[in-house]
Amino acid sequence: MRTPIIAGNWKMYKTVGEAVDLIKGLLVGLGQVHGREVVVCPPFTALYAVRPLLIGTNLALGAQDLHYEPQGAFTGAIAPTMLTDVGCRYVIIGHSERRQYFGETDTSVNRKIRAALTVGLTPIVCVGEVKAERDRGEAELVVGRQVTAGLADLRPAEVARLVIAYEPVWAIGTGDTATPADAQAMHATIRALLSKQVGAATAATVRIQYGGSVKPENIDELMAQPDIDGALVGGASLKAESFLRIVSFQ
Ligand code: PEP
């Protein structure tokens, strides 16, 4: 039985004051939400300030990236223990925007996953094809390569601790969602791949989120698919009302 997990990726939005207000707004409605994990990933600058608001609540804290080294001369980077130090339990790794604009590769994703697991963080590992790859019929090939390389040489017990987010890049921030059937098909492909890599028993426990223009209007249908175990939500996580509706999926 996989507990559904919905995570909000706030990207480069929200000052500290705005982040605190949004958390307060979410907490008003989250008391009625049960049987699912809910995570918010604010920008680094807001993590420390929102942490006290989350203690004793059913809202968990995550970050949007980390460095794979434990510490050192890496100007501008954030170490894994810096995230646990401010109360993070989750970290997004390999988001398509990191791959596109910051040179993230499957190799760095693999190193970051290991670094996150070492300090007890749960990685939310993002994979997904761009539009041209889907149009060429290469979506499964591309996502398969990202999963295989990103998770290379991880032990089954380590893979069991991951959350994987399938995010077709053409659906991110565009309003253009994959159909529930197409998303389900890719999730099943990812689970089959995991099964080959670490065995069916482990693959059956790994939660696979869908991401890409998830909103109140499409969450119920997406979550009704057997291999969709949650959602990674960008734009619709920036307002309490829409995120609360999403986490309250039927
Ligand atoms: C994301 O950033 O991971 C994302 C899915 O964004 P949006 O929901 O805005 O498409």
Side-chain angles (χ1 to χ4, degrees):
M1 182 63 188
R2 301 184 292 267
T3 304
I5 175 165
I6 307 284
N9 172 15
W10 293 6
K11 309 193 185 195
M12 199 171 71
Y13 295 100
K14 306 293 177 190
T15 61
V16 171
E18 290 165 347
V20 166
D21 287 347
L22 179 50
I23 296 281
K24 285 180 179 164
L26 291 173
L27 290 175
V28 171
L30 275 175
Q32 285 84 261
V33 173
H34 304 286
R36 52 209 64 182
E37 276 175 58
V38 185
V39 183
V40 284
C41 302
F44 290 128
T45 47
L47 295 172
Y48 183 71
V50 303
R51 178 198 194 167
L53 301 173
L54 302 183
I55 294 169
T57 74
N58 57 348
L59 184 56
L61 193 58
Q64 299 174 20
D65 185 36
L66 82 176
H67 199 281
Y68 46 73
E69 292 291 348
Q71 61 180 9
F74 300 101
T75 301
I78 301 289
T81 51
M82 293 172 181
L83 298 180
T84 52
D85 188 41
V86 294
C88 288
R89 288 173 41 209
Y90 296 85
V91 61
I92 297 171
I93 295 176
H95 191 280
S96 62
E97 287 150 17
R98 301 294 315 174
R99 292 179 191 256
Q100 186 178 352
Y101 304 122
F102 300 96
E104 192 83 86
T105 63
D106 292 330
T107 304
S108 60
V109 166
N110 184 263
R111 293 179 78 171
K112 289 181 177 188
I113 292 172
R114 292 168 189 283
L117 290 173
T118 299
V119 300
L121 287 164
T122 297
I124 298 176
V125 183
C126 300
V127 295
E129 81 284 359
V130 301
K131 179 83 168 66
E133 292 162 340
R134 174 153 289 259
D135 290 347
R136 288 198 299 266
E138 294 172 359
E140 295 200 350
L141 191 80
V142 168
V143 170
R145 206 164 46 215
Q146 290 171 342
V147 171
T148 307
L151 276 52
D153 298 325
L154 292 179
R155 289 177 281 115
E158 292 172 321
V159 173
R161 291 169 55 197
L162 307 179
V163 173
I164 294 179
Y166 167 57
E167 299 204 303
V169 180
W170 48 270
I172 296 178
T174 59
D176 200 6
T177 323
T179 65
D182 282 349
Q184 163 59 27
M186 186 62 88
H187 282 226
T189 300
I190 293 171
R191 204 176 299 287
L193 212 69
L194 292 177
S195 194
K196 260 199 220 149
Q197 208 167 326
V198 292
T202 299
T205 67
V206 175
R207 290 173 299 174
I208 308 176
Q209 297 175 314
Y210 170 78
S213 296
V214 172
K215 43 196 174 226
E217 295 76 30
N218 58 25
I219 186 67
D220 293 338
E221 215 188 337
L222 287 164
M223 289 305 297
Q225 306 302 314
D227 285 291
I228 299 186
D229 308 310
L232 182 54
V233 186
S237 71
L238 296 173
K239 289 210 165 81
E241 194 189 0
S242 54
F243 194 58
L244 282 172
R245 169 61 188 90
I246 288 169
V247 303
S248 309
F249 66 86
Q250 303 303 304

